Amino acid sequence: MSGSQTQTGESKPAQNKLWGGRFTGGLDPLMEAYNESLSLDKAFYAEDIDGSIAWARANKNAGILTEEEFKQIERGFGAVRKEWETDSFEIKPGVDEDIHTANERRLGEIIGPAIAGKLHTGRSRNDQIATDLRLWVRRKLLEIEGHLTSLLKVIVSRAENDIDLLLPGYTHLQRAQPVRWSHWLLSYGSCFARDFRGLKYVIEELNYSPLGSGALSGNVFDIDRRAIAQELGFKDLCLNSMDAVSDRDFLLKTMGWGSDFMMHVSRIAQDLCIYSSQEFGFVKLADAYSTGSSLMPQKKNPDALELLRGKSGTMHGLHSGFRVALNSLPSCYNKDMQE
């Protein structure tokens, strides 16, 4: 027995890991902590359950599961979902490596391992996480679309109500020509309208289903991938299984869109910081979104606007970092994608 095996003990990953079949020794606790992703991907619990139910239904239709077995899986996942929703799901460190293993482990406890164990037939965590990500990002982008719609409505409404207000227009940050406040406001409305159109494109581009691609070479059990895609609200399929499990372009497009959007947010925040200063005095910031100074009581600081500028820089950095992480990866799935 090697020294590393001696340190980690006699536990076999096969007892509690989806991937443990060929291993004879347990993981070092440090590797357990380093390798886990549940602390982050538990955010996908609902998407993971939705995908698993759709997968179970496809396996039932292909004759792999009986009708009763499918009903048990669907019922069990209903219970698992409720536990997540009520914050009563008990995470088991060292066992629940990620959201997939956590949900399947708990399903087995509820309905028994004999039926729950059939769920993973023909499925890999590679196509599973690719599916969860697309579903989760789509849901979040649709929420952002609603907020962006509200922002555009507020901009148009304020532009209409304040049509008679004038202020200096600037080029090179030097006074140039008089303009309407509404004109300035709608200049950013035009930016956010472009962002709205771009967001629609990003949502359209990610709405393809990778489920059924397996680890990299597809599925041999004659499941109906199009039925799965339809159940999950995808418009079509990812056609190449090797690309499907490794494609994170939709995340790059999402982050690229977010970077563009936050650039516009940062610019309007910068204008408002300047316009609200005593030297300009064009706008007055609400107390609810400002702070003061512990030393200089006369000051009102535009902290909310400054934080928006700062978060814009964070978004640009995350986008660049993710692109670098993907840049030199070989084909198909690699664990770098978890990072």
Side-chain angles (χ1 to χ4, degrees), residues 61-75:
N61 292 338
I64 297 168
L65 295 172
T66 67
E67 181 71 34
E68 180 56 30
E69 287 172 334
F70 169 73
K71 289 180 179 178
Q72 289 293 321
I73 289 173
E74 189 173 35
R75 177 188 64 80

Side-chain angles (χ1 to χ4, degrees), residues 20-80:
R22 52 96 54 217
F23 284 79
T24 58
L27 283 179
D28 186 294
L30 180 62
M31 182 59 184
E32 288 275 11
Y34 185 58
N35 192 51
E36 75 85 26
S37 62
L38 183 58
S39 56
L40 296 175
D41 58 34
K42 63 183 180 181
F44 311 150
Y45 77 84
E47 287 74 21
D48 192 70
I49 290 172
D50 290 341
S52 291
I53 292 174
W55 181 256
R57 194 188 316 276
N59 280 341
K60 183 259 295 183
N61 292 338
I64 297 168
L65 295 172
T66 67
E67 181 71 34
E68 180 56 30
E69 287 172 334
F70 169 73
K71 289 180 179 178
Q72 289 293 321
I73 289 173
E74 189 173 35
R75 177 188 64 80
F77 272 130
V80 175

Side-chain angles (χ1 to χ4, degrees), residues 105-120:
R105 185 268 304 166
R106 184 64 182 129
L107 178 70
E109 293 174 350
I110 293 172
I111 68 172
I115 297 177
K118 294 183 178 183
L119 174 66
H120 209 68

Side-chain angles (χ1 to χ4, degrees), residues 168-186:
Y170 291 81
T171 63
H172 307 277
L173 207 57
Q174 305 295 315
R175 290 191 173 189
Q177 295 175 314
V179 297
R180 296 184 187 274
W181 166 257
S182 298
H183 199 165
W184 173 86
L185 197 57
L186 289 173

